[in-house]
Amino acid sequence: MFRKVYDNHFNVVFNARKNQVTEYFENSSGSLLDPKVDGQALNSINNTAGYSTGNSFIKEDAFELLANYTNKFNDNWSVNATGGLALRKNLSKGWNLNTVDGLAVPELYAITNSASPVGYTNNRTESEVRSVFGRADVGWKNMLFLEGNLRNDWFSTLRPEDNAILYKSIGGSFVFSDLLKNSLSWLSYGKIRASWGEVPSSLGPYDINYAYSVSSNQWNGNILMNTPDRRVDSTIRGATNDLFEIGTELRFFKSRVSLDFTWYSGTRIDEPYSLNLPSTSGFSTVLINVGKVVSKGIEFIINGKVIQGKDFGWSSTINFGYNYLNEVVEIIKSDTTIKRILLPVPTGAGAFNGANSVNSSGYAASFVGERWGQLVGNSILRENGAPVINPASGLFERDPNPTHFGSVLPDFTGGFLNQFTYKNLILNINIDFQKGGKFFSLSDFWGTFSGLTERTAELNDKGVPVRDPVAEGGGVHVVGVDKNDLRTTVDMYVPAQDYYHQFRNSFISEASIYDLTYVKMREVSLGYRLPVQKWKMSKYVQSATFSILARNPWLIYAENRDFDPSEISNTYGEDGQLPGTRSIGFNLRIGF
């Protein structure tokens, strides 16, 4: 950093920052699940042994030139202004090598030991953003404040003829407590504020291009290239999202209690998105500006010093957020026939990833007029609330109309933080929670099919294990109506394997949709302030605290305790992710 001061009011600053990460990795997998004799597999699992290695390099260079001005006039007015230029460059590159079709020599993990020609990938992306910006704030008697920002970014990832995004913000605040000092002694501080701003949304590197990739494989000595599977709309551009906020900050009783409250309203319009296309078009997706989503909600934080004693203290913080509106208003303004947009799923996602719920368990999408992020899937067909059953098999009929199970977004979220101090001991307890929202569990879906979940080994209403033969009192008890006339009652026991296999075989996801509601102790720590002055170390160390901490020690409540709803891996749910972990560690914080 370089800083040049011209006088008490004006200075120029130049900043240069570099962030760089280089990573080298190796992965190996054994062949216990894929025994071979003379190179021939003994089973159909086809989980070959393998080895892979690679390297990744990520770098970001950022440069800023700032001109700052600050001044006060007549002891009433204050002005702060900043203008500047910025440049950010990003570079990412890497390579990966892996064995193919297993290892030629068992347990020799090396690329040269690949049973078939080696697979390899190589990637490199670069992007750049150039910016000019300015901000200024004006204050009057430290009571009224007005602030504005204006910024223009030029993105290398957008079309050269339309690669600029201009966005701005404005805000104001009024500290009214100064006017009420004498009349409201219990009010320590009071401020109201309002702001409006925009946030840019750009594209990724090379998104606007038809990128042809060269395959590592060849055909009769000829190089193969992969054609792009995504069409790019000719009018694609960056976008801005706007957010309006009104709030207040209040402190009471010599700041022992404080409240920070915010109401917000935001709109996301024409964000770049890959929209699915019919396969007959020759492409699977099109990159286009789509959507208008309106979001409204409230947030507040309450802080309180419950007890302030000579040796003992207790302080608490409660935060709460309620997103009461998150509605999809439109998908494409020029085409009102499009009523939904699929949410992206990772490559290799499990059973809950299909646009057509007849051929898969379901999908996640946003629909016009509904809350953003609906889980849609197949459910059991019902007649007046009773499941429709095939009397020949005792299995459920699938509803031909996909069911909207609900949004992936929770209704509200929050946290409860407490700190207790006694002399030099410090105890921190952090609890967070959320209510509402849905997720799909692939682990539960396949685990039930495979007989691994608890419910597949329960006792039926006769007190007999459901896995026992029906003739011996086992099986799962089903009651419903006959699929043939939708009136006759069907009351029978179904073999457990047939019953639990039907959900996967018929792509019924209903039984694996769960609620995202949870209450969780996120972290607990117990610390001790070391007596550095008593140890005559204060000349070198101002403070030192040693703590023992536990993360994720207790999932207090969840609808399904097989999974931690706070750690779901994807927007729509989990795809066979590893279970959550608890950890215990220690921390030593030293202040100089």
Side-chain angles (χ1 to χ4, degrees):
M1 184 182 79
F2 170 79
R3 188 168 185 262
K4 174 66 175 177
V5 179
Y6 291 92
D7 54 36
N8 292 333
H9 306 297
F10 184 73
N11 63 78
V12 175
V13 177
F14 176 75
N15 292 314
R17 297 186 299 273
K18 177 189 288 288
N19 295 316
Q20 182 173 308
V21 177
T22 302
E23 190 176 72
Y24 172 77
F25 61 88
E26 289 183 285
N27 293 308
S28 61
S29 58
S31 55
L32 293 177
L33 294 178
D34 189 29
K36 289 183 172 65
V37 174
D38 296 330
Q40 299 298 315
L42 296 181
N43 56 46
S44 59
I45 295 177
N46 197 30
N47 184 11
T48 59
Y51 172 75
S52 63
T53 184
N55 176 271
S56 66
F57 174 85
I58 300 173
K59 183 180 72 167
E60 179 179 278
D61 295 322
F63 307 93
E64 279 185 340
L65 179 62
L66 306 173
N68 303 299
Y69 176 80
T70 181
N71 206 346
K72 289 187 175 182
F73 305 95
N74 302 325
D75 295 329
N76 290 330
W77 294 91
S78 62
V79 175
N80 297 285
T82 298
L85 306 171
L87 172 65
R88 188 180 78 242
K89 294 184 175 182
N90 292 87
L91 170 64
S92 175
K93 58 184 179 179
W95 53 265
N96 184 75
L97 301 172
N98 61 276
T99 58
V100 177
D101 295 332
L103 303 175
V105 178
E107 308 304 324
L108 176 58
Y109 298 103
I111 291 296
T112 54
N113 191 36
S114 178
S116 297
V118 172
Y120 54 89
T121 59
N122 179 229
N123 63 78
R124 179 172 56 252
T125 61
E126 295 181 73
S127 63
E128 184 175 306
V129 181
R130 299 175 181 178
S131 309
V132 57
F133 55 88
R135 65 164 299 277
D137 65 74
V138 179
W140 181 70
K141 289 188 174 182
N142 285 326
M143 185 168 57
L144 285 173
F145 300 91
L146 180 66
E147 178 181 340
N149 292 270
L150 186 65
R151 183 180 181 111
N152 199 100
D153 289 343
W154 289 268
F155 294 87
S156 66
T157 57
L158 299 176
R159 299 187 185 279
E161 66 274 13
D162 188 22
N163 67 346
I165 299 180
L166 176 68
Y167 52 104
K168 54 272 182 193
S169 67
I170 188 170
S173 61
F174 172 39
V175 182
F176 60 85
S177 54
D178 290 345
L179 302 176
L180 305 173
K181 290 180 180 178
N182 298 326
S183 57
L184 298 177
S185 59
W186 47 267
L187 180 64
S188 306
Y189 179 81
K191 180 174 77 171
I192 56 174
R193 63 181 187 273
S195 64
W196 173 87
E198 295 176 321
V199 178
S201 177
S202 183
L203 298 171
Y206 320 123
D207 275 351
I208 62 173
N209 301 315
Y210 287 95
Y212 291 82
S213 59
V214 179
S215 173
S216 59
N217 301 315
Q218 295 185 0
W219 178 260
N220 291 333
N222 297 310
I223 293 176
L224 301 178
M225 298 187 71
N226 298 320
T227 59
D229 196 31
R230 181 176 67 180
R231 181 170 68 84
V232 181
D233 185 75
S234 59
T235 62
I236 191 72
R237 66 190 185 282
T240 56
N241 305 319
D242 67 79
L243 180 67
F244 175 67
E245 293 185 351
I246 298 176
T248 183
E249 297 176 39
L250 303 171
R251 294 199 290 267
F252 310 96
F253 311 115
K254 297 182 180 180
S255 297
R256 285 195 61 171
V257 180
S258 66
L259 168 67
D260 190 320
F261 177 85
T262 302
W263 174 86
Y264 63 85
S265 175
T267 305
R268 305 199 305 270
I269 301 177
D270 290 342
E271 290 190 325
Y273 194 86
S274 291
L275 195 66
N276 283 55
L277 288 175
S279 57
T280 53
S281 67
F283 298 90
S284 62
T285 60
V286 57
L287 183 62
I288 192 172
N289 293 97
V290 300
K292 180 179 180 181
V293 180
V294 176
S295 177
K296 296 181 180 182
I298 60 171
E299 297 174 345
F300 68 76
I301 301 175
I302 299 176
N303 291 290
K305 298 174 182 177
V306 183
I307 298 176
Q308 283 183 307
K310 179 180 178 181
D311 294 328
F312 179 76
W314 173 20
S315 61
S316 291
T317 298
I318 298 175
N319 60 77
F320 180 85
Y322 175 37
N323 182 226
Y324 63 84
L325 178 67
N326 206 310
E327 181 181 338
V328 179
V329 178
E330 66 184 24
I331 301 298
I332 298 181
K333 187 180 300 183
S334 59
D335 188 352
T336 57
T337 62
I338 299 178
K339 299 297 184 182
R340 74 172 187 185
I341 182 171
L342 298 180
L343 301 187
V345 295
T347 302
F352 205 82
N353 65 353
N356 181 358
S357 62
V358 173
N359 298 319
S360 73
S361 298
Y363 57 95
S366 290
F367 295 81
V368 173
E370 296 189 42
R371 189 170 173 84
W372 185 91
Q374 293 289 318
L375 283 188
V376 184
N378 297 311
S379 61
I380 299 169
L381 180 64
R382 288 177 169 83
E383 180 68 18
N384 295 325
V388 178
I389 297 175
N390 183 340
S393 61
L395 303 183
F396 300 127
E397 292 293 302
R398 186 179 67 191
D399 193 326
N401 301 310
T403 299
H404 289 213
F405 294 110
S407 173
V408 299
L409 299 177
D411 298 324
F412 62 79
T413 61
F416 184 33
L417 291 77
N418 287 276
Q419 184 180 83
F420 303 90
T421 59
Y422 178 71
K423 294 185 178 180
N424 287 335
L425 290 173
I426 307 170
L427 174 64
N428 289 291
I429 302 175
N430 181 359
I431 295 174
D432 59 9
F433 57 87
Q434 71 179 26
K435 169 77 168 60
K438 300 292 182 181
F439 77 96
F440 169 78
S441 171
L442 182 69
S443 297
D444 180 82
F445 191 69
W446 277 106
T448 300
F449 175 86
S450 305
L452 300 178
T453 57
E454 183 178 5
R455 66 174 176 265
T456 64
E458 292 177 338
L459 303 179
N460 61 22
D461 53 1
K462 299 177 183 178
V464 180
V466 295
R467 296 189 178 190
D468 286 1
V470 173
E472 299 177 9
V476 180
H477 191 193
V478 296
V479 179
V481 295
D482 192 323
K483 74 168 187 175
N484 298 305
D485 60 14
L486 301 180
R487 292 193 307 271
T488 305
T489 299
V490 176
D491 188 339
M492 60 188 295
Y493 287 82
V494 180
Q497 179 167 312
D498 295 342
Y499 179 86
Y500 291 112
H501 273 195
Q502 68 177 320
F503 299 103
R504 171 62 183 86
N505 293 338
S506 297
F507 296 104
I508 297 175
S509 53
E510 175 183 333
S512 295
I513 302 291
Y514 292 100
D515 200 278
L516 279 170
T517 300
Y518 72 86
V519 180
K520 178 177 182 177
M521 186 175 289
R522 178 72 65 178
E523 184 174 290
V524 177
S525 67
L526 179 62
Y528 179 73
R529 296 191 190 99
L530 301 178
V532 293
Q533 293 183 346
K534 183 178 179 180
W535 294 349
K536 298 180 180 180
M537 299 174 57
S538 57
K539 182 179 179 180
Y540 310 100
V541 178
Q542 298 299 312
S543 62
T545 303
F546 176 80
S547 302
I548 299 175
L549 55 92
R551 292 190 174 94
N552 301 327
W554 184 18
L555 181 60
I556 301 171
Y557 171 81
E559 181 185 26
N560 184 348
R561 291 182 172 274
D562 293 337
F563 312 95
D564 185 343
S566 70
E567 298 185 3
I568 296 301
S569 56
N570 294 302
T571 304
Y572 57 89
E574 63 89 25
D575 271 331
Q577 70 185 63
L578 295 174
T581 59
R582 297 185 180 97
S583 62
I584 298 177
F586 66 88
N587 176 274
L588 178 62
R589 180 174 295 178
I590 300 176
F592 299 96

